[in-house]
């Protein structure tokens, strides 16, 4: 019987389009990198203007004290502005890291013996990218979900007055009839409602709980500023390493080496 021949080379999938697109994205990231870093550094100085945590604590304390007198302790304006901005910058950096990871992965060479130094460079950069990305994602959670959850619990224990409103509605209906000639029978209905407002809670807030709430806000300020600074440092390091090793990342075995997304080294 005639044996089927085994092809020596698998038919090429149309991955070149994806590699080209990934390359365009990475080149744009590198080109726009300095502008993004400059923007982040400018925002770092404008969003976090206190020279020390003590200064931040003093302003936050005055804000919370004034709010408690009005039975409200909202997030300090500085944090309300800074936290969304920091999260947005970090999410941009994370997205760019993922784009670089994709580009490197799409440029792994075919698995073969020897000449794997370029591959070791790819793997080293990928390791750095993965660790940086995971760290930044964790920081986003800290200044987002974790902060607001912790603050909500702290506010609940401060002892602010709570109001509850209940409304009661009543409706009565009456049928009227008349045996006197010329008078008409009819149907009458009437309704009424009453609203009752109740207030619970102490007339004086718990001072220790207020200090706890103050500490939560100060800690959030510190962590947000630290996360922004960390994102800048990590992004600068990533851009520098990618730029210096771009040739190895793009063609780890030289321009004559084949490419494959199978990174088993």
């Amino acid at each position: 019987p005639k044996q089927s021949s085994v092809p020596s080379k698998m038919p090429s999938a149309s991955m070149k389009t994806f590699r080209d697109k990934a390359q365009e994205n990475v080149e744009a990231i590198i080109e726009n990198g300095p502008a993004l870093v400059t923007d982040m550094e400018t925002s770092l100085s404008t969003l976090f203007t206190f020279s020390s945590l003590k200064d931040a604590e003093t302003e936050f304390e005055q804000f919370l004290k004034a709010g408690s007198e009005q039975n409200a302790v909202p997030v300090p304006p500085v944090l309300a502005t800074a936290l969304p901005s920091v999260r947005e910058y970090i999410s941009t950096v994370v997205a760019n890291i993922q784009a670089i990871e994709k580009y490197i992965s799409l440029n792994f060479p075919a698995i073969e013996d020897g000449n794997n130094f370029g591959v070791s460079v790819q793997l080293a950069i990928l390791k750095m990218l993965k660790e940086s990305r995971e760290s930044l994602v964790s920081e986003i959670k800290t200044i987002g979900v974790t902060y607001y959850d912790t603050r909500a619990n702290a506010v609940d224990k401060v002892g602010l007055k709570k109001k509850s409103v209940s409304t009661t509605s009543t409706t009565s209906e009456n049928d009227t009839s008349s045996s006197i000639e010329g008078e008409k029978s009819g149907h009458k209905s009437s309704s009424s409602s009453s609203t009752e407002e109740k207030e619970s809670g102490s007339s004086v807030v718990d001072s220790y709980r207020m200090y706890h709430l103050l500490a939560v806000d100060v800690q959030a300020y510190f962590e947000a500023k630290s996360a922004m600074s960390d994102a800048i440092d990590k992004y600068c390091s990533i851009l520098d390493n990618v730029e210096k090793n771009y040739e190895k990342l793009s063609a780890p075995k030289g321009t004559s080496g084949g490419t494959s997304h199978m990174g088993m080294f």
Side-chain angles (χ1 to χ4, degrees):
K2 185 179 180 181
Q3 295 182 345
S4 58
S5 59
V6 179
S8 59
K9 185 178 181 182
M10 180 178 291
S12 176
S14 56
M15 295 303 297
K16 185 177 184 303
T17 301
F18 295 98
R19 281 195 293 271
D20 291 344
K21 181 62 177 176
Q23 181 175 349
E24 290 177 10
N25 291 338
V26 169
E27 288 177 351
I29 288 171
I30 295 174
E31 181 180 353
N32 299 323
L36 177 57
V37 170
T38 300
D39 188 26
M40 292 174 70
E41 288 179 333
T42 301
S43 294
L44 179 64
S45 61
T46 56
L47 291 172
F48 303 96
T49 57
F50 298 116
S51 58
S52 67
L53 283 183
K54 183 61 180 176
D55 290 343
E57 184 179 47
T58 300
E59 179 162 318
F60 290 173
E61 184 176 7
Q62 293 174 350
F63 177 77
L64 292 176
K65 182 179 179 180
S68 65
E69 293 173 354
Q70 301 298 321
N71 199 48
V73 282
V75 175
V78 171
L79 290 177
T81 300
L83 296 184
S85 296
V86 173
R87 290 201 307 270
E88 189 64 27
Y89 278 120
I90 294 180
S91 67
T92 299
V93 171
V94 168
N96 289 349
I97 290 175
Q98 290 174 316
I100 298 171
E101 287 177 307
K102 179 180 180 180
Y103 175 68
I104 297 173
S105 298
L106 288 174
N107 281 281
F108 274 123
I111 301 173
E112 56 188 13
D113 294 332
N115 192 23
N116 288 327
F117 176 72
V119 177
S120 66
V121 173
Q122 287 181 315
L123 294 177
I125 299 296
L126 277 176
K127 183 176 183 294
M128 179 187 68
L129 293 172
K130 181 176 182 293
E131 291 174 349
S132 297
R133 171 172 50 79
E134 290 177 345
S135 174
L136 293 173
V137 169
S138 177
E139 288 176 340
I140 287 181
K141 181 179 179 181
T142 298
I143 64 175
V145 175
T146 302
Y147 164 64
Y148 287 109
D149 180 62
T150 302
R151 194 179 200 279
N153 291 328
V155 170
D156 192 50
K157 296 175 182 177
V158 163
L160 298 176
K161 293 181 179 180
K162 298 179 181 179
K163 292 182 179 181
S164 61
V165 180
S166 60
T167 302
T168 304
S169 299
T170 58
T171 302
S172 62
E173 298 183 358
N174 296 307
D175 291 320
T176 59
S177 60
S178 176
S179 59
I180 302 175
E181 186 177 353
E183 291 188 4
K184 297 181 179 179
S185 299
H187 178 80
K188 294 182 179 180
S189 65
S190 61
S191 62
S192 63
S193 64
S194 61
T195 301
E196 183 180 12
E197 186 175 288
K198 294 181 179 181
E199 190 175 81
S200 62
S202 174
S203 58
V204 180
V205 297
D206 188 325
S207 60
Y208 289 102
R209 292 295 183 181
M210 282 294 290
Y211 280 120
H212 175 229
L213 177 59
L214 174 62
V216 169
D217 286 339
V218 173
Q219 181 70 16
Y221 178 86
F222 168 76
E223 289 176 342
K225 183 178 181 180
S226 178
M228 186 70 156
S229 181
D230 188 43
I232 293 172
D233 293 344
K234 280 183 169 62
Y235 198 48
C236 284
S237 179
I238 288 169
L239 292 173
D240 184 55
N241 276 277
V242 171
E243 186 176 12
K244 288 177 178 176
N245 297 283
Y246 191 71
E247 184 178 344
K248 284 285 189 294
L249 297 176
S250 303
K253 293 197 175 186
T255 55
S256 61
T259 57
S260 170
H261 64 278
M262 296 176 64
M264 299 172 60
F265 294 90

mmCIF file of all heavy atoms in Angstrom, residues 187-204:
data_model
loop_
_atom_site.group_PDB
_atom_site.id
_atom_site.type_symbol
_atom_site.label_atom_id
_atom_site.label_comp_id
_atom_site.label_asym_id
_atom_site.label_seq_id
_atom_site.Cartn_x
_atom_site.Cartn_y
_atom_site.Cartn_z
ATOM 1 N N HIS A 187 -70.912 57.003 44.967
ATOM 2 C CA HIS A 187 -69.784 56.271 45.541
ATOM 3 C C HIS A 187 -68.729 57.290 45.955
ATOM 4 O O HIS A 187 -68.315 58.128 45.151
ATOM 5 C CB HIS A 187 -69.204 55.306 44.500
ATOM 6 C CG HIS A 187 -68.011 54.555 45.007
ATOM 7 N ND1 HIS A 187 -68.121 53.457 45.825
ATOM 8 C CD2 HIS A 187 -66.681 54.753 44.804
ATOM 9 C CE1 HIS A 187 -66.916 52.997 46.110
ATOM 10 N NE2 HIS A 187 -66.027 53.775 45.500
ATOM 11 N N LYS A 188 -68.344 57.251 47.207
ATOM 12 C CA LYS A 188 -67.359 58.201 47.711
ATOM 13 C C LYS A 188 -66.124 57.450 48.210
ATOM 14 O O LYS A 188 -66.237 56.377 48.785
ATOM 15 C CB LYS A 188 -67.936 59.022 48.864
ATOM 16 C CG LYS A 188 -69.070 59.942 48.446
ATOM 17 C CD LYS A 188 -69.550 60.753 49.638
ATOM 18 C CE LYS A 188 -70.671 61.710 49.243
ATOM 19 N NZ LYS A 188 -71.148 62.502 50.413
ATOM 20 N N SER A 189 -64.973 58.013 47.913
ATOM 21 C CA SER A 189 -63.727 57.428 48.415
ATOM 22 C C SER A 189 -62.813 58.539 48.909
ATOM 23 O O SER A 189 -62.854 59.665 48.406
ATOM 24 C CB SER A 189 -63.021 56.632 47.320
ATOM 25 O OG SER A 189 -62.614 57.484 46.270
ATOM 26 N N SER A 190 -62.029 58.217 49.877
ATOM 27 C CA SER A 190 -61.076 59.186 50.418
ATOM 28 C C SER A 190 -59.787 58.457 50.767
ATOM 29 O O SER A 190 -59.787 57.269 51.088
ATOM 30 C CB SER A 190 -61.645 59.874 51.661
ATOM 31 O OG SER A 190 -61.899 58.922 52.686
ATOM 32 N N SER A 191 -58.676 59.150 50.665
ATOM 33 C CA SER A 191 -57.382 58.553 50.984
ATOM 34 C C SER A 191 -56.521 59.536 51.759
ATOM 35 O O SER A 191 -56.695 60.758 51.647
ATOM 36 C CB SER A 191 -56.643 58.140 49.704
ATOM 37 O OG SER A 191 -56.390 59.268 48.902
ATOM 38 N N SER A 192 -55.639 59.002 52.542
ATOM 39 C CA SER A 192 -54.736 59.842 53.322
ATOM 40 C C SER A 192 -53.422 59.114 53.500
ATOM 41 O O SER A 192 -53.345 57.893 53.386
ATOM 42 C CB SER A 192 -55.355 60.168 54.691
ATOM 43 O OG SER A 192 -55.540 58.978 55.441
ATOM 44 N N SER A 193 -52.377 59.852 53.727
ATOM 45 C CA SER A 193 -51.057 59.254 53.950
ATOM 46 C C SER A 193 -50.324 60.023 55.028
ATOM 47 O O SER A 193 -50.537 61.224 55.206
ATOM 48 C CB SER A 193 -50.241 59.262 52.650
ATOM 49 O OG SER A 193 -49.983 60.587 52.243
ATOM 50 N N SER A 194 -49.482 59.310 55.728
ATOM 51 C CA SER A 194 -48.690 59.936 56.778
ATOM 52 C C SER A 194 -47.247 59.457 56.661
ATOM 53 O O SER A 194 -46.987 58.310 56.304
ATOM 54 C CB SER A 194 -49.246 59.590 58.164
ATOM 55 O OG SER A 194 -49.204 58.191 58.379
ATOM 56 N N THR A 195 -46.322 60.340 56.897
ATOM 57 C CA THR A 195 -44.894 60.026 56.811
ATOM 58 C C THR A 195 -44.262 60.173 58.180
ATOM 59 O O THR A 195 -44.452 61.193 58.857
ATOM 60 C CB THR A 195 -44.194 60.952 55.802
ATOM 61 O OG1 THR A 195 -44.787 60.802 54.517
ATOM 62 C CG2 THR A 195 -42.713 60.612 55.702
ATOM 63 N N GLU A 196 -43.502 59.163 58.563
ATOM 64 C CA GLU A 196 -42.835 59.184 59.856
ATOM 65 C C GLU A 196 -41.326 59.069 59.651
ATOM 66 O O GLU A 196 -40.855 58.203 58.936
ATOM 67 C CB GLU A 196 -43.325 58.024 60.721
ATOM 68 C CG GLU A 196 -42.710 58.030 62.125
ATOM 69 C CD GLU A 196 -43.204 56.866 62.971
ATOM 70 O OE1 GLU A 196 -43.838 55.942 62.407
ATOM 71 O OE2 GLU A 196 -42.947 56.871 64.177
ATOM 72 N N GLU A 197 -40.592 59.976 60.236
ATOM 73 C CA GLU A 197 -39.141 59.985 60.105
ATOM 74 C C GLU A 197 -38.510 59.695 61.459
ATOM 75 O O GLU A 197 -38.798 60.359 62.449
ATOM 76 C CB GLU A 197 -38.676 61.346 59.581
ATOM 77 C CG GLU A 197 -37.192 61.414 59.272
ATOM 78 C CD GLU A 197 -36.791 62.737 58.645
ATOM 79 O OE1 GLU A 197 -37.125 62.975 57.470
ATOM 80 O OE2 GLU A 197 -36.149 63.537 59.357
ATOM 81 N N LYS A 198 -37.652 58.679 61.470
ATOM 82 C CA LYS A 198 -36.984 58.299 62.705
ATOM 83 C C LYS A 198 -35.483 58.498 62.578
ATOM 84 O O LYS A 198 -34.916 58.304 61.511
ATOM 85 C CB LYS A 198 -37.281 56.843 63.051
ATOM 86 C CG LYS A 198 -38.736 56.563 63.382
ATOM 87 C CD LYS A 198 -38.934 55.092 63.738
ATOM 88 C CE LYS A 198 -40.383 54.804 64.089
ATOM 89 N NZ LYS A 198 -40.599 53.378 64.461
ATOM 90 N N GLU A 199 -34.851 58.872 63.636
ATOM 91 C CA GLU A 199 -33.411 59.105 63.650
ATOM 92 C C GLU A 199 -32.779 58.271 64.749
ATOM 93 O O GLU A 199 -33.256 58.254 65.878
ATOM 94 C CB GLU A 199 -33.119 60.596 63.885
ATOM 95 C CG GLU A 199 -31.667 60.986 63.678
ATOM 96 C CD GLU A 199 -31.452 62.482 63.795
ATOM 97 O OE1 GLU A 199 -31.355 62.949 64.947
ATOM 98 O OE2 GLU A 199 -31.389 63.160 62.760
ATOM 99 N N SER A 200 -31.718 57.556 64.390
ATOM 100 C CA SER A 200 -31.033 56.722 65.368
ATOM 101 C C SER A 200 -29.549 57.051 65.365
ATOM 102 O O SER A 200 -29.026 57.604 64.396
ATOM 103 C CB SER A 200 -31.250 55.236 65.052
ATOM 104 O OG SER A 200 -30.708 54.916 63.779
ATOM 105 N N GLY A 201 -28.890 56.683 66.422
ATOM 106 C CA GLY A 201 -27.457 56.965 66.495
ATOM 107 C C GLY A 201 -27.141 57.922 67.622
ATOM 108 O O GLY A 201 -27.999 58.630 68.135
ATOM 109 N N SER A 202 -25.867 57.955 67.984
ATOM 110 C CA SER A 202 -25.441 58.808 69.082
ATOM 111 C C SER A 202 -25.369 60.267 68.650
ATOM 112 O O SER A 202 -25.159 60.582 67.480
ATOM 113 C CB SER A 202 -24.063 58.343 69.578
ATOM 114 O OG SER A 202 -23.559 59.234 70.547
ATOM 115 N N SER A 203 -25.558 61.142 69.591
ATOM 116 C CA SER A 203 -25.444 62.574 69.295
ATOM 117 C C SER A 203 -23.991 63.005 69.176
ATOM 118 O O SER A 203 -23.688 64.087 68.683
ATOM 119 C CB SER A 203 -26.149 63.395 70.390
ATOM 120 O OG SER A 203 -25.578 63.107 71.658
ATOM 121 N N VAL A 204 -23.088 62.148 69.642
ATOM 122 C CA VAL A 204 -21.650 62.433 69.578
ATOM 123 C C VAL A 204 -20.958 61.259 68.889
ATOM 124 O O VAL A 204 -21.168 60.103 69.256
ATOM 125 C CB VAL A 204 -21.049 62.629 70.984
ATOM 126 C CG1 VAL A 204 -19.567 62.925 70.883
ATOM 127 C CG2 VAL A 204 -21.771 63.728 71.737
#
